[in-house]
Amino acid sequence: MDLDLVINVIEENGYMGLFFWLWFGIFIIPVPNEVLLMTVGLASSMGSLDPYLAFLVSYLGISTAFTSIYLVGRIIGRRLLRFLEKRKRFADTIESSMKMMDKYHAFSLFLSCFVPGARNLVPLLYGFSRLSFKTFAIFAYSGAFIWVLTVYMIGYLFGDKMDAIMKYNKEMWILAIIVAAAAAGIIFLKKKKVKNEGIESALGTESAIYQERQHK
């Protein structure tokens, strides 16, 4: 993507223009999200954009796009899926997205952020399946944050080597998924450990109270 194009969008429309571009671009602009976000990161590293504001706007734009896809799934999901399933390029992605959902359940929303194609279809499918918005928000927004941060920082640090990065795009995202899944697993296990320790502590307290009453 042309770096000047991103800068011109900001100069002419402000950061709000970038927000709407990222929001609606996921539907109508035939450019991979990774390329767009890396270009924003590169522009930030060159001082053309405020790094923190550019990242925040990028995250909000992508999160709003995912939310819109989820809501579309809730409203017209059945009809839209019937339409997409008739087209081979979407049918294959729908099938692989469903397999991911069957295997990882709601956590697939987190993982799908790192998979081109699936990141647009998994929120749609969960909207259609009436997954609660709270559950959707927890997994989709956390996944979007890690994904946007990762791609943005790659562009910020290595944007001048974008051609080489895109050449190994598939391998890069497989590694990113493994790292993200490992990080999420560690967080989950830590929370589970803390919860179990809390339960054991509560049980121990109840047992002590019971024994004290028995002695009385």
Side-chain angles (χ1 to χ4, degrees):
M1 172 169 287
D2 190 354
L3 178 62
D4 293 334
L5 178 59
V6 174
I7 296 173
N8 288 337
V9 169
I10 303 298
E11 289 179 345
E12 294 178 8
N13 305 287
Y15 286 94
M16 188 59 68
L18 177 61
F19 170 79
F20 282 108
W21 191 14
L22 287 162
W23 179 4
F24 294 109
I26 202 169
F27 303 103
I28 59 178
I29 299 177
V31 175
N33 302 126
E34 290 85 357
V35 175
L36 178 54
L37 289 172
M38 280 192 286
T39 305
V40 173
L42 175 59
S44 300
S45 71
M46 297 174 64
S48 301
L49 305 177
D50 180 274
Y52 299 104
L53 187 55
F55 170 75
L56 178 61
V57 170
S58 298
Y59 172 64
L60 292 176
I62 293 296
S63 296
T64 304
F66 287 167
T67 305
S68 300
I69 296 171
Y70 168 81
L71 294 175
V72 167
R74 289 187 73 94
I75 298 169
I76 59 170
R78 185 181 297 275
R79 282 172 289 173
L80 184 57
L81 282 174
R82 286 176 180 171
F83 172 80
L84 294 175
E85 285 175 340
K86 294 177 182 178
R87 284 149 179 79
K88 182 172 176 57
R89 57 173 293 203
F90 291 110
D92 294 340
T93 307
I94 290 173
E95 183 179 354
S96 61
S97 297
M98 286 182 171
K99 288 180 179 178
M100 183 187 298
M101 292 166 65
D102 288 338
K103 185 173 183 179
Y104 298 105
H105 305 290
F107 187 61
S108 60
L109 275 165
F110 183 100
L111 295 176
S112 68
C113 295
F114 298 87
V115 184
R119 77 172 63 104
N120 299 336
L121 281 171
V122 171
L124 177 74
L125 293 169
Y126 272 118
F128 170 66
S129 66
R130 299 286 172 174
L131 179 74
S132 70
F133 181 78
K134 180 180 178 180
T135 302
F136 163 81
I138 290 172
F139 289 99
Y141 296 162
S142 60
F145 181 83
I146 300 299
W147 173 62
V148 172
L149 178 62
T150 302
V151 181
Y152 176 85
M153 289 307 299
I154 290 173
Y156 189 90
L157 298 172
F158 310 107
D160 56 336
K161 301 178 179 62
M162 193 176 296
D163 290 340
I165 292 171
M166 295 309 298
K167 181 179 179 181
Y168 298 101
N169 181 55
K170 184 177 179 180
E171 292 80 0
M172 180 183 71
W173 288 117
I174 289 175
L175 178 61
I177 290 174
I178 293 172
V179 172
I186 291 171
I187 294 172
F188 174 77
L189 289 175
K190 284 186 176 180
K191 287 184 177 180
K192 187 176 181 180
K193 182 179 180 181
V194 170
K195 183 178 179 180
N196 289 339
E197 288 175 351
I199 293 173
E200 289 174 0
S201 177
L203 290 174
T205 302
E206 290 179 2
S207 177
I209 294 172
Y210 176 78
Q211 290 177 8
E212 184 178 344
R213 286 178 179 175
Q214 288 293 97
H215 286 304
K216 289 181 179 180

